[in-house]
Amino acid sequence: MEYKRLGDYIREVNVRNRELRVTNLLGLSIEKKFIPSIANTIGTDMSAYKIVQPSQFAYVPVTSRNGEKITVALYDGEESAIISQAYTIFEIVDQDVLLPEYLMMWFRRPEFDRYARFHSHGSAREVFDWDELCNVQLPVPSIERQREIVAEYETLTRRIRLNEQMIAKLEETAQVLYRKMFVDGVDKENLPEGWRRGTIGDVCETQYGYTETATTEVVGPKFLRITDIVNNRINWSKVPYCRISDCDFKKYKLELGDIVVSRTGANIGWARQIKGSIPDSVFASFLIRIIVKEPILQWLIGHLVESSDFKAFVSANQQGSAQPQANANVLVKYPLLIPNEETLQHYNFQILPINRNVCLIEQENSLLTELQSLLLARMGK
């Protein structure tokens, strides 16, 4: 297949928000998407910000300390938006020759990330500059073939999105059931017979994660990090690997029913229970594992830590000054109503089909994501 120089198909765009007509401020994520900005813009001169239009691209030239990825995204909004002047905006010269969606598929390929990192340069910060981007080589088939490739990819994307919506509804149902049986529907002053008050520490153990760096090589177990958990989902096919001794693997190996809690970052206190079919995997140092001692309590604790109440508790009790963190000694103090065995069995009976469906849909999404990866890989052949 003949490869073409990308610079022959794109041009840089630099339109500033001089008249302050555009107010929708966006940022770019490492997942190659435009996202609402969380930057504090009080007192900021917004006239210097760049305007991005639908079907235009933006990218962050700096690639160091960026998870071995280049942050680039296609803007698919309907109205103009503004982004930081640190970003580079560009567009396709003729969309009858090169589709924006096809080019974005090329940018999603792991091979492109590796290429961009290899061709980044600098001392304090490594940069993949505009000239290097223009020198990228890619296949440009006929516009009809591009449309076919994009249609295949977007069909998979729509199915994954629909599945995610189904999962969200199922998990919302599970949370409603949890609150009905153990929060809103309980008289805390007069507990039912056989119930008792306690804490997470009474029924769980905690453990900090493994200190190591991930590798793109297919060696060792999967290495679950905070950044691998997106929208409360774990896409195991995208989780990297790590090198680890047999002894440490046994110590940090994740098991079905384990719970991982984020220690730092914007999602501090976020918690996710490990469900369904999982590969051999260990968890990274910025996660805390909660191990439920009694299997009958696994789903109760899982839904408890996934509740907004638990995250609020952790966030309110974070420790540290330079970088506040969740502390295992704090997590175990979270108050817990421990039901009698009959109530737990009834609850598990109702939760089981919900969790089974969630696991099946997640497995389907994992397969669909693998198909997307195969489709991206085929673009270079």
Side-chain angles (χ1 to χ4, degrees), residues 346-359:
H346 178 61
Y347 177 67
N348 290 342
F349 179 78
Q350 296 181 77
I351 287 294
L352 183 61
I354 296 176
N355 287 331
R356 183 183 292 122
N357 281 327
V358 168
C359 292

Side-chain angles (χ1 to χ4, degrees), residues 260-379:
V260 287
V261 181
S262 61
R263 294 174 55 193
T264 61
N267 288 326
I268 189 169
W270 170 94
R272 171 71 175 170
Q273 188 168 32
I274 304 300
K275 306 170 185 176
S277 176
I278 62 172
D280 283 345
S281 53
V282 295
F283 60 108
S285 57
F286 285 111
L287 292 169
I288 299 173
R289 169 161 62 176
I290 297 178
I291 306 169
V292 184
K293 298 176 185 177
E294 302 177 42
I296 196 172
L297 287 166
Q298 280 190 346
W299 296 123
L300 168 61
I301 302 299
H303 291 123
L304 181 150
V305 299
E306 289 176 354
S307 69
S308 57
D309 294 340
F310 179 80
K311 182 171 183 177
F313 173 85
V314 177
S315 297
N317 290 277
Q318 56 188 313
Q319 300 176 351
S321 54
Q323 187 179 24
Q325 296 187 8
N327 189 297
N329 293 330
V330 173
L331 301 186
V332 295
K333 295 178 181 178
Y334 188 83
L336 170 68
L337 293 180
I338 305 174
N340 57 40
E341 184 174 342
E342 181 181 357
T343 302
L344 284 169
Q345 289 177 344
H346 178 61
Y347 177 67
N348 290 342
F349 179 78
Q350 296 181 77
I351 287 294
L352 183 61
I354 296 176
N355 287 331
R356 183 183 292 122
N357 281 327
V358 168
C359 292
L360 289 173
I361 297 172
E362 286 184 337
Q363 289 173 20
E364 181 182 343
N365 268 4
S366 180
L367 292 173
L368 291 171
T369 302
E370 288 183 22
L371 288 175
Q372 284 186 316
S373 297
L374 289 173
L375 188 57
L376 294 179
R378 276 171 38 197
M379 292 177 69

Side-chain angles (χ1 to χ4, degrees), residues 186-187 190-196 338-343:
V186 178
D187 182 355
N190 300 284
L191 294 178
E193 184 178 353
W195 288 46
R196 69 184 192 276
I338 305 174
N340 57 40
E341 184 174 342
E342 181 181 357
T343 302

Side-chain angles (χ1 to χ4, degrees), residues 17 36 47 51 54-55 57 64 104 119 171 183 201 245 248-249 273 278 294 302 314 332 339 352 356 359 369:
N17 191 31
S47 67
I51 296 177
S55 296
F57 294 81
S64 51
M104 190 62 225
H119 288 272
E171 294 190 334
V183 181
S245 66
D248 283 335
F249 174 64
Q273 188 168 32
I278 62 172
E294 302 177 42
V314 177
V332 295
L352 183 61
R356 183 183 292 122
C359 292
T369 302

